[in-house]
């Protein structure tokens, strides 16, 4: 970067940079983000009649392409540049262009504070760098999010470098495995790694004389004489395969062998999935608007995990000992449950043998508040006591400790941190969506937003839980480090300011092996291709067709003058971020789209008086205004009701019957469950380019990533697709099949659950053989919890008591 900066200020292009900064200054603004910077620079190049290459290829052009922020001061200009993924730098250019020097993040945070007139000279600095300084780190940004593969490679290299030590550690890790006091894998007859290697040879010889299909119970006594306890397999062939993997691992370690062997080790039986704030239940209790996606995710994850654990236990031969998996979804009990099951302390999860929803009530600080559902933005004062109460309930239900605690969303991750710290259990975080990058300038203007969103509490909770977690799983790599053009959600926590509260000068190590890409699946019993006619219910199909195209109902707005036009379909809740209004405006501004398509929108609400807050009411009203403004009567159907999952699955297929398309037009989407559902149903899908959802679309489908701020460009991409469908009769079907297969092959719960369990085992093994001293880090997290989080949360509690 230094060379590029020098080329600008010492070359012929210094004048161009000076003119560009003057153009920015003339706008009257002081703070510019990447999109604005690029637009200003394009306009400058046009006005100055620069040659075509100048925008991208000149030294100034390259500098601007790397720049994500510019802050103008009287005496200097500040640049935040990102020459490569996960690597941000701060540069300051003096007003007289005499000096262009690299600055510290601390200096930039001070400038940001001054920008909003909230600078204070002495402020708390949060710096996590010392805790990661000596930790094992990924060295190539392209491998960020592949922590498991990195650990596998590292451990195998250590096995080769010092085989005697590492075989001994491997022996000790296996020797300590128990289930409720029952020994698994190895008994005390084997006392060392060297002896283990010798006994494996004897066991393999014994097994070679058995029929491959012979059940474990018929030869287990012979294995026990050699020192091998249950858990290796349920048949002679399975036991032999597992022991051969261990034998190969000892003598010729390779990452693939290590991963396959560890996947078979019976080390996970009890799992807690924490999802605190959601109106959590089954059937008609699938969350409020703000939690709907998370509730469905956790329910499907729980079913899948229980199923996979059952299969793992059976293949290990442990079902003969009466060992069963036990999965618990931990959420809050809501006394005023409006006729739902949210007041049941314990509820069996449908389609499982031993998975449950455990509901624990909030402490009775103020029954008028705690007896009711509480928004995710208001839930913070109750979480510590909830975690303490939940610990007792979990120990009672499990009759022991869990092997894994998985947090969901910011509040669930904080509870997972408290439980994990107290119970000494592996902690996994799933953010789903981090609010800080979703709400522009939410940290810079946190004081103005505090009454509504309480971001000071949430962002502190995020810092605590993401750093304390043993591992973090994300649905996309962009969630961690973004793209060359956008900053990742976790990357946004690297350094930031909360003016007059604290500065984060190093909030997370993006190169940590704890980050792992493990995307979710989709329920293929409900969401399956439209072409699978034999699996579709004709009555349901007729019912859903009427809902989308013709039924008159107080919860449906609009009719279609020409119902046979190709439908554009969208499913989402109405928020400014989800941007359904932007989609309607895009449709309204394009006469060509209106001539060829209808727009069908499915939301949970239709009228402003149904909204739970002013912002939602304004967004609903705005959609009506857009429909009026662009005279969309007869061209749009707005279904404003929550429909069951089986009807939603059929809705995608009905739209596919018409060779329609699906558009997800959010300003930002961390992933997007509805995108998976639409694609696997066979709908060609256009999705926002901002966030991780664009990764779902295959690279060869780049024409299906759209910019929600570019309405004309989006309409053109859709029309280009329709033109290809018209000129090539099979094109729609080809794209439909390709997208459906992509979801089926890559985004399925079987892969997700196996990867999650493998990560749990591998991280647990790593923490045993190379225990890092994380006590200082965890004490630091506790200090943040008690000194910043709790006092801020107590302010919310005071407000609730007053209410």
């Amino acid at each position: 970067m230094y060379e590029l900066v020098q080329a600008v200020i010492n070359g012929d292009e210094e004048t161009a940079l000076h003119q560009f900064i003057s153009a920015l200054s003339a706008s009257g603004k002081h703070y510019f983000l990447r999109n604005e910077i690029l637009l200003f620079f394009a306009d400058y190049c046009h006005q100055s009649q620069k040659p075509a290459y100048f925008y991208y290829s000149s030294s100034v052009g390259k500098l601007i392409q790397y720049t994500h922020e510019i802050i103008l001061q009287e005496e200097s200009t500040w640049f935040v540049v990102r020459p490569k993924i996960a690597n941000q730098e701060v540069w300051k250019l003096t007003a007289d262009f005499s000096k262009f020097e690299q600055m510290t993040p601390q200096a930039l945070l001070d400038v940001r504070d001054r920008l909003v007139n909230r600078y204070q000279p002495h402020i708390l600095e949060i710096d996590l760098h010392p805790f990661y300084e000596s930790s094992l780190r990924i060295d190539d940004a392209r491998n960020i999010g592949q922590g498991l593969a990195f650990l596998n490679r590292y451990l195998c290299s250590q096995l080769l470098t010092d085989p005697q030590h590492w075989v001994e550690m491997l022996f000790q890790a296996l020797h300590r495995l128990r289930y409720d006091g029952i020994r698994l894998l190895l008994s005390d007859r084997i006392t060392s790694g060297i002896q283990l290697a010798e006994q494996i040879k004897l066991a393999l010889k014994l097994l070679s004389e058995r029929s491959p299909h012979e059940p474990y119970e018929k030869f287990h006594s012979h294995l026990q004489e050699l020192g091998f306890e249950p858990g290796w397999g349920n048949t002679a062939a399975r036991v032999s395969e597992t022991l051969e993997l261990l034998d190969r691992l000892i003598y010729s370690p390779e990452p693939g062998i290590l991963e396959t062997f560890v996947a078979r080790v019976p080390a996970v039986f009890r799992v807690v999935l924490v999802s605190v704030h959601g109106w959590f239940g089954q059937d008609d209790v699938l969350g409020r608007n703000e939690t709907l996606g998370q509730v469905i995710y956790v329910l499907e994850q729980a079913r899948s995990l229980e199923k996979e654990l059952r299969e793992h236990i059976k293949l290990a031969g442990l079902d003969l000992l009466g060992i069963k998996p036990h999965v618990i979804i931990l959420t809050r009990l809501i006394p005023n449950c409006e006729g739902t099951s949210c007041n049941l302390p314990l509820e069996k999860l449908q389609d499982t043998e031993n998975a449950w929803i455990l509901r624990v009530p909030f402490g009775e600080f103020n029954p008028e508040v705690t007896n009711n559902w509480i928004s995710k933005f208001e839930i913070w004062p109750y979480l510590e006591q909830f975690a303490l109460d939940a610990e007792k309930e979990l120990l009672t239900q499990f009759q022991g400790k869990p092997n894994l605690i998985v947090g969901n969303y910011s509040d669930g991750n904080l509870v997972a941190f408290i439980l994990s710290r107290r119970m000494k259990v592996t902690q996994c975080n799933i953010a789903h969506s981090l609010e800080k990058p979703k709400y522009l300038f939410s940290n810079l203007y946190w004081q103005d937003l505090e009454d509504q969103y309480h971001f000071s509490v949430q962002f502190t909770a995020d810092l605590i839980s993401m750093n304390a977690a043993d591992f973090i799983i994300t649905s996309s790599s962009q969630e961690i480090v973004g793209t060359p053009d956008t900053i990742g959600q976790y990357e946004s926590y690297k350094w930031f300011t909360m003016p007059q509260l604290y500065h984060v000068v190093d909030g997370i190590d993006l190169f940590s092996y704890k980050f792992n890409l493990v995307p979710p699946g989709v329920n293929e019993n409900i969401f399956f291709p439209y072409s699978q006619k034999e699996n579709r219910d004709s009555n349901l199909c007729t019912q859903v067709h009427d809902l989308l195209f013709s039924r008159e109902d107080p919860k449906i707005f609009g009719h279609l003058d020409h119902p046979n036009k190709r439908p554009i379909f969208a499913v989402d809740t109405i928020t400014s971020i989800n941007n359904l209004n932007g989609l309607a405006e895009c449709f309204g501004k394009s006469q060509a789209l209106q001539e060829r398509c209808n727009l069908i929108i499915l939301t949970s609400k239709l009228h402003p008086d149904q909204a739970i807050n002013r912002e939602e009411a304004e967004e609903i009203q705005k959609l009506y205004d857009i429909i009026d403004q662009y005279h969309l009567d007869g061209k749009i159907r707005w279904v404003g009701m929550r429909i069951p999952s089986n009807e939603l699955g059929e809705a995608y297929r009905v739209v596919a019957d018409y060779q329609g398309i699906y558009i997800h037009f959010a300003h930002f989407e961390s992933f997007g469950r509805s995108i998976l559902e639409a694609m696997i149903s066979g709908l060609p899908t256009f999705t926002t380019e901002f966030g991780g959802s664009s990764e779902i679309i295959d690279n060869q489908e780049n024409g299906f990533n759209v910019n929600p701020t570019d309405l004309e460009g989006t309409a053109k991409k859709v029309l280009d697709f329709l033109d290809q469908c018209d000129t090539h009769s099979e094109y729609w079907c080809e794209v439909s099949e390709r997208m459906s297969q992509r979801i089926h092959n890559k985004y399925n719960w079987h892969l997700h659950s196996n990867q999650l369990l493998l990560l749990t085992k591998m991280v647990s093994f790593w923490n045993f053989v190379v225990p890092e001293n994380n006590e200082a880090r965890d004490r630091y997290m506790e200090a943040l919890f008690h000194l910043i989080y709790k006092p801020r949360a107590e302010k919310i509690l005071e407000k609730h008591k007053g209410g």
Side-chain angles (χ1 to χ4, degrees):
M1 199 67 224
Y2 177 80
E3 291 78 8
L4 179 60
V5 167
Q6 290 303 310
V8 172
I9 64 171
N10 296 326
D12 297 336
E13 297 178 16
E14 179 184 334
T15 301
L17 181 59
H18 197 290
Q19 290 171 344
F20 174 60
I21 291 173
S22 297
L24 291 178
S25 183
S27 71
K29 294 181 61 176
H30 297 281
Y31 200 162
F32 302 87
L33 296 181
R34 179 173 171 75
N35 277 348
E36 292 176 294
I37 294 166
L38 293 176
L39 287 171
F40 268 100
F41 188 60
D43 186 59
Y44 163 75
C45 291
H46 176 72
Q47 297 292 335
S48 304
Q49 298 182 332
K50 296 293 183 183
Y53 78 88
F54 194 86
Y55 180 80
Y56 286 107
S57 303
S58 65
S59 295
V60 169
K62 290 177 182 176
L63 175 64
I64 297 303
Q65 297 302 321
Y66 289 138
T67 300
H68 282 253
E69 293 180 30
I70 290 178
I71 298 176
L72 301 180
Q73 292 185 303
E74 284 187 17
E75 70 280 6
S76 57
T77 301
W78 292 72
F79 295 77
V80 178
V81 297
R82 191 167 174 261
K84 55 186 177 181
I85 280 178
N87 186 344
Q88 296 182 55
E89 299 174 3
V90 182
W91 290 80
K92 183 177 78 169
L93 174 65
T94 55
D96 61 2
F97 275 56
S98 62
K99 187 184 291 185
F100 206 164
E101 60 180 330
Q102 189 168 358
M103 306 296 288
T104 64
Q106 289 94 322
L108 175 72
L109 300 183
D110 284 344
V111 169
R112 286 177 178 167
D113 288 354
R114 286 191 173 98
L115 190 69
V116 293
N117 297 317
R118 281 173 175 158
Y119 170 74
Q120 65 180 58
H122 303 291
I123 190 168
L124 172 65
E125 288 189 346
I126 297 174
D127 186 358
L128 278 300
H129 177 70
F131 302 112
Y132 291 106
E133 204 165 14
S134 59
S135 295
L136 195 62
R137 299 178 81 240
I138 291 168
D139 55 6
D140 188 337
R142 290 172 297 183
N143 294 327
I144 290 174
Q146 305 299 323
L148 175 63
F150 174 76
L151 275 185
N152 283 347
R153 289 193 299 271
Y154 180 82
L155 286 169
C156 286
S157 71
Q158 294 302 302
L159 275 164
L160 286 168
T161 304
D162 188 359
Q164 188 171 343
H165 168 74
W166 282 88
V167 168
E168 186 62 31
M169 297 306 295
L170 183 59
F171 158 72
Q172 290 183 24
L174 298 175
H175 187 260
R176 71 192 181 105
L177 288 177
R178 304 280 193 283
Y179 175 84
D180 286 354
I182 302 171
R183 274 193 177 278
L184 304 178
L185 297 186
L186 299 177
S187 72
D188 288 336
R189 295 188 181 200
I190 299 177
T191 59
S192 68
I194 294 173
Q195 187 186 1
L196 172 62
E198 294 169 350
Q199 295 300 92
I200 289 172
K201 302 292 188 189
L202 296 175
L204 287 172
K205 184 176 184 303
L206 181 152
L207 291 163
S208 68
E209 299 167 356
R210 302 275 172 170
S211 164
H213 303 294
E214 185 172 344
Y216 170 75
E217 58 266 31
K218 289 195 175 181
F219 57 83
H220 72 94
S221 59
H222 300 290
L223 282 179
Q224 285 177 313
E225 288 173 9
L226 295 173
F228 296 99
E229 294 293 341
W232 296 98
N234 60 340
T235 65
R238 181 79 179 183
V239 175
S240 183
E241 287 172 9
T242 309
L243 288 171
E244 283 176 357
L245 285 167
L246 181 54
D247 186 58
R248 291 175 63 191
L249 189 58
I250 290 171
Y251 292 104
S252 55
E254 296 175 12
I257 296 171
L258 176 61
E259 183 171 314
T260 306
F261 173 72
V262 171
R264 293 189 176 204
V265 172
V268 181
F269 305 97
R270 297 168 174 145
V271 179
V272 181
L273 306 176
V274 186
S275 181
V276 184
H277 66 270
W279 202 249
F280 202 110
Q282 305 176 77
D283 299 324
D284 297 328
V285 206
L286 295 174
R288 296 294 202 194
N289 280 349
E290 64 182 35
T291 60
L292 174 62
Q294 183 191 138
V295 170
I296 293 173
Y297 179 108
V298 175
L299 283 170
E300 293 181 358
Q301 184 186 54
R303 291 190 181 99
S304 177
L305 276 171
E306 198 257 2
K307 179 182 178 182
E308 294 300 329
L309 283 170
R310 228 183 314 131
E311 182 66 14
H312 287 192
I313 288 169
K314 179 182 176 183
L315 288 173
L318 294 178
D319 54 336
L320 300 172
L321 300 179
I323 294 176
K324 298 188 297 184
H326 195 169
V327 176
I328 288 178
I329 298 171
L330 174 64
T331 188
R332 63 168 297 224
L333 185 146
I334 306 174
N336 295 339
C337 64
E338 300 177 20
T340 71
S341 62
C342 291
N343 64 343
L344 295 179
L346 196 64
E347 182 182 355
K348 177 79 175 294
L349 197 60
Q350 297 163 3
D351 303 320
T352 68
E353 291 182 13
N354 200 26
W356 303 80
I357 302 172
L358 174 65
R359 299 185 181 90
V360 176
F362 280 170
E364 291 296 325
F365 297 100
N366 179 355
E368 290 184 13
V369 175
T370 55
N371 282 358
N372 299 303
W373 176 79
I374 301 173
S375 163
K376 65 183 180 181
F377 296 115
E378 301 282 334
I379 202 170
W380 305 104
Y382 310 104
L383 296 182
E384 182 181 18
Q385 187 60 49
F386 173 82
L388 299 178
D389 295 340
E391 180 186 11
K392 299 172 189 172
E393 294 294 333
L394 289 169
L395 291 172
T396 300
Q397 292 297 323
F398 282 135
Q399 293 296 295
K401 293 198 301 184
N403 308 110
L404 172 66
I405 298 174
V406 181
N408 287 273
Y409 191 70
S410 297
D411 49 16
N413 287 328
L414 188 75
V415 170
F417 157 71
I418 297 170
L419 289 171
S420 173
R421 181 88 172 123
R422 291 178 60 84
M423 301 170 81
K424 309 299 181 190
V425 172
T426 301
Q427 176 194 349
C428 166
N429 276 21
I430 306 175
H432 295 288
S433 177
L434 290 162
E435 302 292 336
K436 190 168 82 64
K438 198 158 64 169
Y439 291 84
L440 198 61
F441 299 126
S442 54
N443 59 290
L444 195 59
Y445 293 100
W446 71 270
Q447 284 135 309
D448 301 329
L449 302 168
E450 191 71 355
D451 285 345
Q452 183 176 358
Y453 295 115
H454 308 294
F455 283 143
S456 68
V457 190
Q458 181 161 3
F459 299 166
T460 305
D462 287 335
L463 281 171
I464 292 168
S465 60
M466 69 175 63
N467 283 287
D470 292 288
F471 65 99
I472 296 169
I473 67 174
T474 67
S475 298
S476 67
S477 60
Q478 292 187 48
E479 199 174 325
I480 311 168
V481 289
T483 69
D485 298 322
T486 60
I487 290 172
Q489 292 185 61
Y490 281 96
E491 188 180 359
S492 75
Y493 282 77
K494 186 68 177 172
W495 29 271
F496 65 95
T497 174
M498 302 286 283
Q500 299 177 334
L501 183 61
Y502 57 69
H503 283 176
V504 175
V505 297
D506 198 333
I508 188 70
D509 183 7
L510 300 170
F511 290 82
S512 171
Y513 63 83
K514 72 168 61 181
F515 283 108
N516 283 271
L517 177 59
V518 186
V522 61
N523 187 338
E524 294 188 41
N525 293 321
I526 294 173
F527 304 100
F528 55 85
Y530 77 102
S531 55
Q532 293 180 8
K533 305 291 186 183
E534 68 280 5
N535 294 329
R536 296 176 65 178
D537 183 318
S538 59
N539 291 329
L540 181 64
C541 182
T542 301
Q543 176 185 334
V544 171
H545 182 278
D546 291 346
L547 176 76
L548 295 181
F549 288 92
S550 59
R551 186 195 306 176
E552 292 187 7
D553 190 288
K555 295 181 179 179
I556 300 175
F557 175 85
H559 69 282
L560 301 177
D561 290 339
H562 303 284
N564 290 323
K565 285 183 182 179
R566 197 188 298 266
I568 297 172
F569 190 41
V571 179
D572 222 326
T573 52
I574 299 185
T575 68
S576 57
I577 289 171
N578 290 342
N579 195 34
L580 287 175
N581 289 329
L583 176 59
E585 189 167 8
C586 175
F587 183 72
K589 284 187 170 182
S590 173
Q591 288 299 319
L593 275 183
Q594 294 173 45
E595 288 168 9
R596 299 169 73 171
C597 300
N598 289 314
L599 178 60
I600 302 175
I601 294 174
L602 177 59
T603 71
S604 59
K605 295 173 184 175
L606 188 66
H607 303 293
D609 59 11
Q610 295 175 301
I612 60 171
N613 56 47
R614 188 178 67 183
E615 180 192 0
E616 188 178 36
E618 289 173 353
E619 287 296 308
I620 293 172
Q621 184 56 52
K622 187 176 177 183
L623 185 49
Y624 283 112
D625 294 342
I626 290 170
I627 292 170
D628 288 342
Q629 179 183 350
Y630 294 101
H631 309 292
L632 296 180
D633 290 337
K635 302 170 185 177
I636 189 171
R637 282 270 287 181
W638 176 4
V639 181
M641 65 178 77
R642 183 175 291 180
I643 63 176
S645 296
N646 65 326
E647 292 185 20
L648 178 58
E650 190 59 32
Y652 292 117
R653 290 187 289 272
V654 166
V655 173
D657 289 336
Y658 280 78
Q659 294 204 341
I661 62 172
Y662 185 79
I663 299 185
H664 190 82
F665 208 51
H667 286 300
F668 178 87
E669 178 57 75
S670 59
F671 191 66
R673 177 180 53 84
S674 66
I675 299 167
L676 299 184
E677 296 169 353
M679 287 176 66
I680 201 167
S681 302
L683 278 176
T685 297
F686 293 79
T687 183
T688 177
E689 64 184 34
F690 299 123
S693 61
S694 61
E695 282 183 37
I696 304 173
I697 308 290
D698 197 1
N699 288 336
Q700 65 175 310
E701 313 280 12
N702 57 11
F704 292 88
N705 289 322
V706 295
N707 183 343
T709 65
D710 182 4
L711 304 187
E712 185 178 342
T714 297
K716 184 179 184 307
K717 281 192 174 185
V718 175
L719 289 167
D720 287 346
F721 171 73
L722 299 181
D723 287 341
Q724 291 186 70
C725 292
D726 291 344
T727 56
H728 175 32
S729 60
E730 296 300 313
Y731 184 68
W732 186 95
C733 294
E734 289 169 2
V735 174
S736 168
E737 174 66 18
R738 199 160 59 228
M739 288 192 170
S740 182
Q741 281 301 311
R742 176 170 171 79
I743 303 305
H744 175 75
N745 294 333
K746 185 174 180 179
Y747 299 96
N748 66 71
W749 284 112
H750 170 71
L751 287 175
H752 173 97
S753 296
N754 277 305
Q755 195 77 349
L756 176 57
L757 294 173
L758 177 60
L759 271 164
T760 305
K761 296 171 187 179
M762 185 61 73
V763 169
S764 178
F765 175 56
W766 171 256
N767 287 339
F768 175 75
V769 298
V770 190
E772 294 186 25
N773 184 6
N774 290 325
E775 185 61 25
R777 179 202 68 189
D778 291 343
R779 288 291 186 187
Y780 193 97
M781 295 303 106
E782 287 186 345
L784 295 180
F785 179 82
H786 288 285
L787 299 178
I788 300 177
Y789 173 89
K790 283 188 72 172
R792 305 296 312 175
E794 284 167 4
K795 290 182 179 295
I796 305 173
L797 186 61
E798 289 171 10
K799 186 173 122 182
H800 288 185
K801 286 178 178 178

